[in-house]
Amino acid sequence: MADKKQSKKAGSEAAEIRKPVGAVMVVGGGVGGIQASLELANMGYKVYLADSSPSVGGVMGMLDKTFPTNECSMCILSPKMVEVASNINIEVITLADVLSVEGEVGDMRVKLRIRPRYVDIGKCTGCGDCTAKCPVKIPDPYNAGLDTTRCIRVPFPQAVPGAAVIDPEVCRWLTKEKCGNCVKVCQAGAVDFDQKEREETFQVGMVIAAPGYRPFDAGRKTEYGYGVNQNVVTSLEFERILGANGPTQGHVVRPSDGEEVKKLAFVQCVGSRDTTVGNGYCSSVCCMYATKQALIAKEHLPGIEPTIFFIDMRAYGKDFEKYYTAAESRHGVRYVRGLISGIRERQRTKNLLLRYADEAGCTQEEEFDLVVLSIGLEAPCGLKEGLGLEVNEYGFAEADPFLPVLSSRPGVLVCGAAQEPRDIPDTVTQATAAAGIASQALHGARNTLLTRREHPPEKDVGGEEPRVGAIICRCGSNIGGFVDVPAVVEYAKELPGVVWAEERLYACSQDAQDWIRQVVEENGLNRLVVASCTPRTHQPLFRETLQSAGVNKYLFEMANIREHCSWVHMQEPENATRKAQYLVKMAVEKARRLEPLVEGESGVIPRGLVIGGGVAGMNAALNLAASGFQVYLVEKEDELGGLARNIHFNLKGEDVQAYVKELADRVEREELITAFTAHEIVDVGGFVGQFKTLIRDAEGRETLLEHGAVIVATGGGQYQPTEYLRGEDGRVLTQWELEKRIAEKDPALADVERVVMIQCVGSREEERPYCSKVCCTEAAKNALALKELSPRTEVFVLYRDVRTYGFREDIYREAREAGVVFSRFDDDVRPDVRDVAGTLQVRVPDANLAGEMVVLNTDLVVLSTGITANPDNAALAPMLKVPRNAEGFFLEAHMKLRPVDFATDGVFVCGLAHAPKSIEESVSQAAAAAARAESILSKDKIVTEGVVAVVDADKCSGCGICLQLCPFEAVTYDEEKKVAVVNTSLCKGCGTCTAACTAGASRLQGFRSDQIFEQIEAAASAWRE
Amino acid sequence: MSDLKTIVKEKLAGGADAFLCLKNEEGTVLPALITDADSPDLEFVDVGESRYPLGRILIDLQREYPDKRFAVLVRGCDERALIELSKLEQIDLDRLVMVGVACSTEEAEACGCPRPYPGDIALGEKVEAAPGREVIDEVESLGDAERLGWWKEQFSRCIKCYGCRNICPMCFCKDCALENPHLVEPGVIPPDFPSFHIIRALDMTGRCIDCGLCEEACPADIPLRSLYRKMQDIMEDKLEYRAGGSVEEKNPLSFLGTEHDIEKLEQE
Amino acid sequence: MAEESKKNDEEDIRILAFLCNWCSYAGADLAGVSRFQYPPNVLDVRVMCTGTISPYFVIKAFQEGMDGVLIAGCHIGDCHYLKGNYMTAKRFQVLREALKFLGLEEGRLRLEWVSAAEGEKYADVIRSFTEEVKALGPSPLRGKKAAKAEVGA
C-alpha cells in the first residue's frame, strides 16, 4: 500500500514541484518491454528500450506457436517489432545491461553498460554478405543451439535492429587479428572493430523493468540426464524443433539420428514446484505450453503419440480448460498423472525409459523416442544488483500485493515474468499497466521530449501527369550479385510514366535518403518506385523520405526484388533479372495510378467512461484520473465495491475489505471522477474519441455522457449451487461464507472438528466448461486460515487438480504442511454429500488411492463455487458492438497481444467482465485498460491511416453487405441516402468489404481494384513481351 | 380476369396505397400501378402468361414513396426475388403485400422453374415442376478442354446486348462490372471469353432466384439459366445457401461467420 | 530480352500470386531471407488482407493469360484483421467450382494458408504449384491478348 501512495504522490505533488523528465527507460526487449515501449511512445513519452541481447523479441520471438489459439508467434510479434524499429521516439539500445539506477520518481538516472556490437547499426543493412564469408561457426542461440550460425550474423530474420552482430569471444579478428573477411566483404563499411564497451547514463522520469525470466537449467535435475541423453531436450529446444523457421523446419525429429519421433513424452514441473532445487513455486505456463507442443507435434506428424506426465493440470486461464480437454478427447494427447523419477537411455536405440509412480503408487516404466523437459521459469538476473529492487525468496521482484507492477522501489515498475512466472497476455497486460502508471507520474511532461518530424508542405500533384522515378537498389551484392541491375534500370527507363531511373548501392542508407530528396526535387518526380527489399520493413523509411521532399507519402510503391527475387533465384541470374524487371513494371504501373491520400483526423473528448464500480472499475477510474483525465463511473448498484465485498483477506493476509473501502473513498474524494451509482446504461452511440452514452437512474431520469473512450468493468457473479445439499442443510457453506466467519473470528469455528471443502462447484462442467481460476487458491487460503484459528480442526479439500499457479503454490504447500488433507477425485465423479441420521457425511472415491471410497463425517461442507459471467453483459455487448464468448464473458480483440482491447476501437475491458481472475489480476488489468484508454484520451485528435475503405455514394445501392463484412464495425448505413458510409476512424484497411461490392462503389484506398488490375495487366504484358 | 380485379379492389380497400401488376391492353402487356378502384386500368389487369420483373419497379417505388404500402402480384419467382432483394436492403417487405399466383401446368413446364408457386397462393392451382438439368449434365459429362470449348462456342454468339442483365430482377447495381473496361474490353464483340459471362455468373451466386428471364431475353440462346443454376448448386453444396428461400436465412457471402464455419468448410 | 523469353514460351509457366501483407507476404520474405530457392515464374501482388481479393482479380488474371493463380493468406484464426480470411475461404470455394464448371482445370487456382514463419512452406507451395501448372501446360485462355499491341513495351 505504501508504494501506491508514493506513486500517487509522484503523480501529483512531484509534478507540481518540478517538471518530471518525459522519458522512460524500459529494461528488457521481450514482448513485455516492446508493449510498454509502444504504449509509452504512443502516450507521448520518449522511450529508451534496453536489452542485453543483440535484438529485441525475447523468448516470444523464439516460440513457434502460442496457446490456447495455436497462433503463429512470429506473425503476431514481428509487426510490433517493426513498429518499435520505425518509431523515432523509441531508441533501442542492444547489448546493454543496467549498472545502476539513481534518483527519484520523475528524475532518474539509469547507467547502462553497452557492449560493442562491432557493427555500425546505422550502416549495416542486414544483407548477410558478411555471414556468408565468415569462417567461424557457432551454435545458433536463436535456435537454442540446435544448429549453427556464423560468428557475424543478423540474430534472426526479423531481428530489430536488423543489423549484424559479432560474437567477440570467437571472432578470429578480435581474438587473433586474423581473417577480417567481414570487413572486406561489407560494401556498406559497417563492420567496426574499433567499437569499445562503454557506459552511458540516461536521464529519465521512470524505469520499467521487463527483463523476463531465465529458463531453468535442466542439467540440475540429474535424474533426467539432460545433456547426457541425446534425445532429452528442453521445451525451449523443442519449440525451435517445431518452428517452421527452426533448425529442422518444423520436422519433429530426434537429435540423435534425425528419425521422426513416434512416442513423445513431456515431463512437467522440471524446476517448478520443486523445493529440492529451491523453486517451490509453479511456473504457471508449462502445462499449457506442453499441451500446445503436443498438439503442434501432432499437427506436423499425425502419427505421433504424445504423452504428458504431470502432477496437476493447470489449465486455469481463459479458454485453457477447453484447450486441454480438446487436446485429450479430440486430438489424442495422452495425459498421465505421475512424476517422473528417472530417465534411462537405451544404448543402441538411444530410446528413453521413463520411470514413474502411477496413481496407485506402483512404479511403471515406459519407453519413448524423445523426451521434452517442461522447464520452469526462474528469476532473471540484475533485479537486485542493477535495478536495486527487493526480491522474494525465489529471486523474483517483490511487488505490491494489490498492484504487482509496483515494485519495492518508487520510480521502478516491474512487469512480466520478472515479478512472477506468467504467460504472454498477463505480461502484456502488466506492461500496459506499467506504462499507464508511469504516465501518471510523468503526465506533466507529456510530449516534452518527443521528436516530431517536420515536413515541408505537400506539393499538389493533383492535375499533373504521373512523373515516376525508379530507384533500383543493388543491396551490396544481395541484389546486384544475382540481378543485372543496369539492365533493370534500362528497362525501367522505358516504362510509360518513368522520367528518371537510377541504381544505388544501398537505397536505404542515410546518405541515400538525402540523395532521394534531391532527385525527387530536381526531376520534379511525383511518384516514386524503389525496387529493393520488402516493404514490410522498409516502406516507412522511403515514405518518410518522400514526404520530406514535399510529396505525399502514399505516392510510393516498392518492388521487392531481394526477398522475392534475387535471394530465391540465386542460380538463375537471367530469370532473376527478368523477374526483377517485371516486378518493377508492376510497381510502376501501380504507382502511375496512385493518388495522394489524406490521413483522416477526428476529435477526441478527453473524458473516460467506466462501466462498473467494482475493484476493476474503481481502479480503472482512479488510474485515468491520476493521469489527469475526467472520468464517469457508472455502477448499477447503490454502492461501489462489486464482488470483492465478499472477500476479506488475500494470500498475504491483507485486508481486502479495507482495500475496497479505501478505493471507494478515493473515488469519492477524486474531483475528476463523477460516480453515478444506481444507474444503468441505456444506449451507447458514437465511436472512438466521440462516444455518447445515455444512462438512467431508478426513477427513469436520463443523463447523456460524452466521452472519448469506454472501459467495460462489469464484473462477474458467483455460481449459486443447488447441489451438495446447498440450501437444504445449514451446515453446507460457500467459501465466501466461511471466509466471513474466519474474518470475524467466529468463536463457533473453534468447536468445528472437521471441515470438508469441495472444489470445482459450478466450474469445469458441461454448462460452464471453464476453470474459475481462483477457487483452489481460495480453498487453500481458507483451509490454512482455519488451521491457524483452530489447529485441531481437520480440513479436507476434495479437488480435481490443484491450480495454485505461480507463488500461490506456496500456500498450497503451507496448507499441506499444516495438515490439510488434499484428496483428489476424478473428473467424471462427484462427491456425494448426504445427511445420515443428522450427521453430515461426504463420500468420495479417492483417485489417489486407486478409487478407494473415502467416507467423511463432517461438521461443515464448504463449496468452492465458481465465477460466472455477468448476465448484464448480454444487453451491453450489442450497444458497445463488442462480442462475448460462449460463457458470456467479453471477448477481447486478441487473446495474446491485445488482452484488454476490443476489436472496436476505443472500448476496453478489465476484471471479471473478461474472465475469472484474482483481485490483483483485475487491478493490473484495470490499470492496463486505463492506459489503453489514455493512449486515446491523451491525443488532440485521432489520425487514421490513409489506407482505408471509402464508399462512393453515387455508386452505392445500399445493399448493406459491406456493413456485415466489417470486423471493426466501421461501416454504417445512412438511412436517409440509403448508402453505406465508412467511418475512417474505425476502418483498419483490410478491404474485406470492398471485395464484396459488385458495383465497385466501395474501394480500398491505395489498393483500389483498378490499381490491382493494372498490376495484373503489367505482369501479363511483361510476360508477353 | 375477375378474380384478380376483385383482389386488387380488396387490397386497395384494405390498406394498400397502390397495386402493382400487369395489364393486357389488346395484347400489349405492360406493368400497371393501380392506385384507386376507379382506375380505368383495372379493366385490363391480367395474370396472363407474360412475366415481368416487377421487383425492379418496386425498388424505385418504395424509395420514392417511403410512406406508402404497395400490393404486388407475384409468381413464385417474383416472391423469391423480393425476399432476396429485401435481404439486400432494396425492398421493404413490411411495406409490401404479396398476392400470389401459382403458375399453370403449361407455364410451369415451359419455364422449368424449381418452385412455380409462391408461399401463399391467391390465384391458380399449385403444380410442381422439375427444373431441367440437361445442360448442366451435358457440360459435366465433358472433360475440362471440351467444357471450355463448349462454353466458348456458346458465348461466341453473345452480342453483348446486356439483355440478361437488364431483365434480371436481381440486378440493381448503379455501376456494373460488365462495363468496367479493366474487366471487359469496350467495343469488342463477342465480349472477352470467359470473363464477361463468369463475372455475371459470380455476381449471381447466392443471388439468382432462377426465374429464367435472362435466358428468355437472350437473343443468342446462350444457356445462361443453366450456368446460374449451377452457381446456385455450388452455393448450396459449399455454403449451404440458396437464394430466395426464407427471409431469416443469411447469405454466407454477406457475413463473416465463425471460425467453426470455416473449419467445417475446409474439412470438406 | 524479348527474344530470349519467347523461345521457351511453352515451358514458361506464368503464375500470379496474391499475398496478404501480414502472413504470406512475410512468409515469402522469410523464404527469401532463408534463401530457399524456388522457380522464378511467379510474380506477386501484395494486398493488405486476402479478404480484399475480389473474385474479379482472379478472373482478370486468367483473362490476361496467367497459367495459375495463387491466393495465400494467414491461417484461419491468425488474420491480422480477425476474420478477413474467412471471406477468402468462402469466396474461393465458389470461385473454384465456377471455373471448374466452365472447364478451366482445377489445378490452376490454389488457396494456401502460409504464416510469417513458414518460409519453407511458401517455397514448397511455389515449387509444387509450378509443377502442377506446368503439367497442365499453358492456360487455354492464354494468347488471347498476345497479339494486342502493348503501349510503351
Side-chain angles (χ1 to χ4, degrees), chain B residues 38-60:
Chain B
D38 301 330
S39 167
D41 281 344
L42 203 54
E43 286 310 310
F44 303 105
V45 296
D46 184 20
V47 172
E49 286 177 9
S50 301
R51 295 195 294 140
Y52 191 92
L54 290 173
R56 292 179 75 115
I57 300 174
L58 259 183
I59 294 174
D60 293 335

Side-chain angles (χ1 to χ4, degrees), chain B residues 31-223:
Chain B
L33 185 69
I34 296 163
T35 48
D36 65 84
D38 301 330
S39 167
D41 281 344
L42 203 54
E43 286 310 310
F44 303 105
V45 296
D46 184 20
V47 172
E49 286 177 9
S50 301
R51 295 195 294 140
Y52 191 92
L54 290 173
R56 292 179 75 115
I57 300 174
L58 259 183
I59 294 174
D60 293 335
L61 282 175
Q62 284 200 331
R63 290 238 162 136
E64 200 165 335
Y65 304 102
D67 309 323
K68 302 292 183 201
R69 283 178 68 80
F70 292 94
V72 62
L73 193 65
V74 295
R75 293 174 185 268
C77 50
D78 295 321
E79 185 190 58
R80 294 196 296 276
L82 292 173
I83 287 174
E84 203 55 34
L85 286 168
S86 80
K87 294 184 204 174
L88 295 162
E89 307 285 345
Q90 304 300 307
I91 285 288
D92 182 358
L93 290 181
D94 293 341
R95 293 191 287 124
L96 196 64
V97 181
M98 291 194 263
V99 176
V101 185
C103 295
S104 67
T105 313
E106 302 81 61
E107 283 169 342
E109 275 172 7
C111 170
C113 171
R115 198 172 178 269
Y117 50 85
D120 284 321
I121 301 171
L123 293 163
E125 290 288 321
K126 168 175 158 181
V127 291
E128 299 287 349
R133 285 197 52 90
E134 298 78 15
V135 175
I136 295 176
D137 290 343
E138 185 190 340
V139 172
E140 288 184 334
S141 70
L142 302 172
D144 286 330
E146 292 80 35
R147 266 189 213 192
L148 201 69
W150 192 91
W151 281 114
K152 195 169 181 177
E153 202 249 293
Q154 300 292 333
F155 294 154
S156 70
R157 298 196 298 273
C158 176
I159 57 164
K160 212 156 92 169
C161 68
Y162 295 106
C164 48
R165 176 198 69 188
N166 295 346
I167 195 74
C168 177
M170 299 312 299
C171 270
F172 54 79
C173 287
K174 292 182 184 167
D175 233 10
C176 177
L178 298 180
E179 293 177 62
N180 180 337
H182 281 293
L183 288 167
V184 179
E185 201 170 342
V188 177
I189 293 174
D192 293 337
F193 172 82
S195 68
F196 184 92
H197 289 281
I198 194 166
I199 284 166
R200 198 168 138 71
L202 287 169
D203 288 354
M204 282 298 112
T205 308
R207 186 172 292 191
C208 168
I209 45 80
D210 200 356
C211 67
L213 284 171
C214 47
E215 205 170 296
E216 269 182 41
C218 180
D221 287 331
I222 301 170

Side-chain angles (χ1 to χ4, degrees), chain A residues 586-850:
Chain A
M586 290 167 73
V588 166
E589 287 298 328
K590 183 173 178 193
R592 288 172 64 200
R593 273 89 188 169
L594 290 173
E595 280 169 15
L597 298 183
V598 183
E599 299 184 326
E601 283 181 6
S602 60
V604 177
I605 302 164
R607 280 191 295 273
L609 166 71
V610 177
I611 305 174
V615 164
M618 288 193 287
N619 267 292
L622 285 165
N623 280 309
L624 268 183
S627 287
F629 296 100
Q630 261 187 41
V631 191
Y632 299 122
L633 177 61
V634 179
E635 164 60 47
K636 69 172 173 178
E637 287 185 35
D638 294 343
E639 58 173 311
L640 300 171
L643 222 53
R645 283 173 296 176
N646 298 296
I647 300 168
H648 295 80
F649 50 93
N650 70 4
L651 281 188
K652 297 185 177 168
E654 305 261 346
D655 186 342
V656 176
Q657 289 308 299
Y659 172 71
V660 174
K661 189 169 179 311
E662 193 224 330
L663 280 180
D665 289 347
R666 278 173 58 199
V667 166
E668 211 150 284
R669 283 198 310 271
E670 177 58 63
E671 284 172 7
L672 288 170
I673 300 177
T674 315
F676 295 90
T677 48
H679 273 75
E680 58 170 354
I681 307 285
V682 181
D683 188 37
V684 185
F687 53 91
V688 58
Q690 305 168 32
F691 288 102
K692 284 187 176 63
T693 299
L694 194 63
I695 59 171
R696 185 163 55 206
D697 69 6
E699 278 86 52
R701 281 176 303 220
E702 291 184 341
T703 312
L704 186 70
L705 308 175
E706 292 184 85
H707 50 99
V710 188
I711 295 174
V712 180
T714 50
Q718 186 196 26
Y719 173 66
Q720 300 299 327
T722 52
E723 58 268 43
Y724 302 125
L725 299 183
R726 170 69 180 172
E728 295 168 40
D729 192 314
R731 294 168 293 183
V732 179
L733 313 176
T734 64
Q735 286 288 359
W736 287 352
E737 288 164 351
L738 173 68
E739 186 167 320
K740 185 160 187 279
R741 289 171 66 174
I742 295 171
E744 287 165 357
K745 300 209 163 33
D746 182 348
L749 284 180
D751 301 328
V752 171
E753 285 179 14
R754 185 179 277 172
V755 174
V756 177
M757 297 182 176
I758 299 175
Q759 298 303 106
C760 292
V761 179
S763 303
R764 301 178 65 190
E765 291 185 334
E766 210 178 314
E767 210 176 311
R768 280 166 302 281
Y770 59 88
C771 167
S772 289
K773 202 177 185 181
V774 295
C775 333
C776 283
T777 307
E778 173 104 1
K781 174 191 83 177
N782 285 348
L784 196 61
L786 205 54
K787 276 293 202 186
E788 275 162 18
L789 202 67
S790 154
R792 54 172 210 92
T793 304
E794 289 181 353
V795 185
F796 288 81
V797 180
L798 310 184
Y799 72 98
R800 289 159 69 191
D801 290 278
V802 177
R803 293 182 170 173
T804 45
Y805 56 98
F807 302 143
R808 292 156 195 82
E809 182 71 9
D810 287 341
I811 199 159
Y812 173 37
R813 194 176 50 253
E814 282 165 34
R816 276 176 298 162
E817 284 164 4
V820 177
V821 179
F822 287 80
S823 177
R824 189 172 70 81
F825 61 92
D826 275 326
D827 286 347
D828 52 355
V829 302
R830 291 289 173 271
D832 177 32
V833 178
R834 59 176 79 169
D835 183 334
V836 181
T839 304
L840 197 57
Q841 191 179 77
V842 183
R843 299 157 60 88
V844 67
D846 188 324
N848 289 341
L849 300 174

Side-chain angles (χ1 to χ4, degrees), chain A residues 860-877:
Chain A
L860 291 177
V861 166
V862 181
L863 306 180
S864 294
T865 51
I867 306 239
T868 55
N870 185 342
D872 297 345
N873 294 351
L876 200 56

Side-chain angles (χ1 to χ4, degrees), chain A residues 860-896:
Chain A
L860 291 177
V861 166
V862 181
L863 306 180
S864 294
T865 51
I867 306 239
T868 55
N870 185 342
D872 297 345
N873 294 351
L876 200 56
M879 283 192 241
L880 293 162
K881 301 186 188 116
V882 297
R884 292 181 307 144
N885 67 11
E887 288 80 43
F889 295 101
F890 283 107
L891 191 60
E892 62 271 38
H894 190 274
M895 279 231 158
K896 281 288 169 190

Side-chain angles (χ1 to χ4, degrees), chain A residues 16 31 64 108 157 179 324 356 359 532 557 638 785 909 963:
Chain A
E16 282 153 27
V31 62
D64 174 41
M108 307 194 73
C179 180
Y324 156 52
Y356 65 99
E359 291 174 31
S532 57
E557 189 63 23
D638 294 343
V909 65
L963 268 77

Side-chain angles (χ1 to χ4, degrees), chain C residues 61-152:
Chain C
F62 282 123
Q63 189 71 40
E64 290 288 332
M66 296 296 165
D67 304 312
V69 175
L70 170 72
I71 298 171
C74 304
H75 288 267
I76 294 299
D78 283 11
C79 178
H80 187 79
Y81 306 101
L82 312 171
K83 291 180 169 187
N85 55 2
Y86 291 14
M87 295 316 294
T88 313
K90 294 195 225 179
R91 290 168 184 154
F92 175 79
Q93 295 278 348
V94 171
L95 186 56
R96 185 180 55 185
E97 297 298 315
L99 291 172
K100 201 158 65 170
F101 187 63
L102 283 179
L104 194 67
E105 298 95 328
E106 202 176 352
R108 295 193 188 276
L109 176 63
R110 208 192 251 208
L111 172 66
E112 292 278 356
W113 307 132
V114 179
S115 84
E118 291 174 329
E120 201 196 15
K121 181 172 179 185
Y122 182 76
D124 275 345
V125 164
I126 299 301
R127 286 185 209 119
S128 71
F129 192 37
T130 303
E131 281 312 307
E132 190 176 357
V133 176
K134 202 170 260 178
L136 293 170
S139 164
L141 302 176
R142 211 208 260 202
K144 293 195 61 65
K145 286 202 173 176
K148 218 197 299 170
E150 291 300 329
V151 187

